[in-house]
Amino acid sequence: MREEEVFQAIAHRVAALDYSDEVFVRPGYLDADGSWVLTPSADDVRWLEERGSQAHLAAEAVGAVDPLPPLEPASAEAVAEAERLLGHPLPPLLRRLYLEVANGGFGPGVLGVADGYTDDLERTAVDRLDPREPSGLFPVAHWGCAIYSYVDCSEPSAMMWGFDPNSGLAERSFFPEGISLTEWLSRWLEGRLRQPLLVKDPQTGVWRGATHAEHEAEAREVAELAARISGAGGRDARGEGRRR
């Protein structure tokens, strides 16, 4: 997809309140027939389920999925502050999305600038900036488990980097993903985006970014785990039973 096509597609998803990989579901569980059975809970309790999952589709069939809240764009001042602190301009596509569409919250968990969408520790992309990290890398999305996607703002091609500290490699947990920001967002729109994943090469013993096949194997394992957990009690794909 071209940059303008990506921008228009994301703007449409945000306007339609269909902008996230997760949905708000009223608590319940899947019965033996795969139907969503609501369970007693406080009126304001909602679970986050993965869009397209068995739990989401079953809950949707009985009207137990709430719409996502509308998103608001970032201010010009917030974007300018982010660029000043980073020391580089943001890629034009990301900058335009912030200013014209939403201050984060869309896609796989795009972080906002000041007053925008935050990670699980209530930090925006600006809050996550760290002078100890590679210069020019902007933390554009949070995936959970301390895994982030970064975009390299120091060069025009705006290439993506992954950060997966679960390998124990500390600062070497950064690795290039070989795709641009435009391609990264295109993959999300097409349902093909995978979170950054470091693996140890079985031949060389060197840590590297996962191949497509390794990502697919990981996705199958997660889906199988989600199915088992969901059948046991209506939890989300990570088994956290997260609430909003």
Side-chain angles (χ1 to χ4, degrees):
M1 298 175 70
R2 296 191 302 272
E3 186 171 304
E4 180 62 23
E5 293 175 317
V6 171
F7 175 83
Q8 294 297 338
I10 292 177
H12 175 76
R13 292 277 298 266
V14 170
L17 304 184
D18 180 32
Y19 53 77
S20 175
D21 288 339
E22 295 178 320
V23 293
F24 290 105
V25 174
R26 275 168 264 167
Y29 63 91
L30 289 167
D31 66 13
D33 297 324
S35 298
W36 191 253
V37 179
L38 292 169
T39 54
S41 62
D43 289 341
D44 61 345
V45 171
R46 296 293 184 271
W47 287 351
L48 282 171
E49 295 286 351
E50 185 177 354
R51 182 178 297 279
S53 66
Q54 185 180 10
H56 165 219
L57 298 177
E60 188 173 52
V62 296
V65 177
D66 288 354
L68 293 168
L71 299 179
E72 297 294 332
S75 68
E77 293 76 15
V79 172
E81 178 195 27
E83 294 179 323
R84 179 183 64 79
L85 293 172
L86 179 65
H88 296 275
L90 295 175
L93 175 57
L94 182 60
R95 194 176 199 278
R96 189 178 174 197
L97 286 168
Y98 279 147
L99 291 172
E100 300 180 36
V101 178
N103 193 358
F106 55 88
V110 171
L111 297 172
V113 291
D115 298 320
Y117 186 78
T118 63
D119 64 13
D120 55 348
L121 296 178
E122 305 299 322
R123 297 175 299 186
T124 66
V126 174
D127 296 329
R128 282 280 296 121
L129 290 175
D130 188 331
R132 295 170 296 179
E133 295 180 348
S135 176
L137 292 190
F138 186 75
V140 74
H142 173 240
W143 294 86
C145 297
I147 298 172
Y148 289 82
S149 287
Y150 285 71
V151 59
D152 187 353
C153 302
S154 68
E155 43 84 26
S157 56
M159 300 301 286
M160 298 299 297
W161 285 68
F163 176 74
D164 179 4
N166 299 295
S167 62
L169 296 177
E171 69 277 0
R172 291 185 294 146
S173 298
F174 286 95
F175 58 97
E177 296 199 85
I179 58 173
S180 68
L181 173 68
T182 300
E183 173 63 19
W184 186 78
L185 289 170
S186 296
R187 290 187 183 186
W188 173 71
L189 288 165
E190 295 164 356
R192 299 187 295 114
L193 185 64
R194 299 285 183 250
Q195 75 176 38
L197 178 65
L198 265 178
V199 297
K200 182 178 285 188
D201 191 290
Q203 303 299 323
T204 66
V206 175
W207 288 89
R208 56 166 173 75
T211 64
H212 177 75
E214 289 164 338
H215 273 298
E216 291 301 307
E218 174 77 6
R220 286 193 296 272
E221 291 181 9
V222 171
E224 291 170 0
L225 175 62
R228 293 197 298 270
I229 292 172
S230 183
R235 293 312 208 198
D236 72 5
R238 287 158 295 281
E240 297 168 353
R242 296 177 300 153
R243 297 182 174 187
R244 284 292 187 275

